[in-house]
Amino acid sequence: MANPLNTGSVGTAPAAPSGVTTIHNSQVPKHEQLRLIILRLAKDELQPGARLPSERTLMDSYGVSRITVRAAIGRLVNEGHLVRVPAKGTFVADSPVQSNLHLASFTQEMEAMGHVPSTVVLMAERAAAPDHVAADLSLAPGADGFHLRRLRLADGRPVSVDDAWYNPEYAPELLEIDLTSSVYKALATRFGHQIDRARQSVRAEGAPPDIGALLGTGTGAPVLAFHRVSWSGSLAIEQSRSWYRSDRYSLNMEVRL
């Protein structure tokens, strides 16, 4: 699998943090003491995607064996705080966006979770809708739809690629609005069609080449693929496919009897 992290700083590994707690002979195992030191480094001093100090640096800085270093790092990898990349090193893992399963636009969802959303418009055109899109949007075969493809970011980091089609009958001036903002909000406030229902499926798949390039994961990396048809009342407004980085986005849901 391609490395999902930003490894732009691979060239020189950082030194161990200065002024941290030293490791003592005590009832707390040395690998656990080192684990806590490395965890503090990952949380307080390094950014997601940053390279961890080398095993040799950690051994020399804290006077411990390679076995102790590997035990501490191995546990942090298992806990999801670090990620090993073969032949490159160990890196601070991303903290994924935690989304509760509900109906909201990307912009609304990110803002509600305290992230800063932004959007890059990759395509905005009027074109003949593919047959399966026309069927979902109740368009006549070969009829035009509005096709919108966007890269979505949270705090400046790619999270998803959205490829959506809209029924032009219900949003005739859609391509004239600011498409870097929330389309759902524009549908409600400008065109009078509040999205209030959707049918959605989610599956795991390998990133296609174009999606992997846009998300920075590389081809074949695991992504969450969404397919959604959204309605305003009885009107089918939107048909969309979205690909989310699985290391930067996760879904939460509550299941009851």
Side-chain angles (χ1 to χ4, degrees), residues 218-251:
T219 303
V223 293
L224 295 175
F226 291 72
H227 178 270
R228 174 187 282 194
V229 179
S230 304
W231 287 268
S232 176
S234 61
L235 305 177
I237 305 290
E238 175 196 57
Q239 191 263 32
S240 67
R241 292 189 68 196
S242 301
W243 296 266
Y244 281 75
R245 284 186 60 142
S246 60
D247 61 328
R248 292 184 180 167
Y249 187 87
S250 64
L251 281 173

Side-chain angles (χ1 to χ4, degrees), residues 58-236:
L58 293 171
M59 290 166 59
D60 293 343
S61 297
Y62 300 108
V64 295
S65 68
R66 189 177 300 274
I67 292 175
T68 296
V69 171
R70 289 183 174 177
I73 290 176
R75 183 171 170 188
L76 290 168
V77 169
N78 291 336
E79 292 171 348
H81 300 296
L82 302 176
V83 175
R84 283 196 181 102
V85 180
K88 291 187 177 180
T90 303
F91 300 83
V92 179
D94 282 299
S95 297
V97 173
Q98 301 283 336
S99 173
N100 291 315
L101 193 59
H102 65 297
L103 183 59
S105 71
F106 180 90
T107 299
Q108 293 167 330
E109 186 176 41
M110 294 301 109
E111 289 178 342
M113 291 186 289
H115 298 284
V116 178
S118 57
T119 297
V120 177
V121 179
L122 305 172
M123 176 188 296
E125 65 176 1
R126 184 176 185 127
D131 289 344
H132 68 283
V133 172
D136 284 339
L137 294 180
S138 299
L139 294 170
D144 284 353
F146 290 144
H147 187 197
L148 181 58
R149 188 176 176 92
R150 299 184 291 175
L151 175 65
R152 318 305 297 273
L153 305 96
D155 305 322
R157 301 161 66 206
V159 173
S160 74
V161 176
D162 296 342
D163 192 296
W165 288 82
Y166 298 89
N167 189 325
E169 179 180 354
Y170 307 128
E173 300 169 348
L174 181 67
L175 300 185
E176 300 175 17
I177 69 172
D178 179 7
L179 296 173
T180 64
S181 299
S182 171
V183 170
Y184 276 23
K185 182 177 180 180
L187 288 170
T189 60
R190 179 162 180 168
F191 302 112
H193 296 298
Q194 175 75 49
I195 298 297
D196 53 24
R197 179 170 63 95
R199 183 181 72 244
Q200 178 170 275
S201 63
V202 185
R203 57 176 291 177
E205 63 179 46
D210 58 335
I211 300 300
L214 289 167
L215 292 179
T217 62
T219 303
V223 293
L224 295 175
F226 291 72
H227 178 270
R228 174 187 282 194
V229 179
S230 304
W231 287 268
S232 176
S234 61
L235 305 177

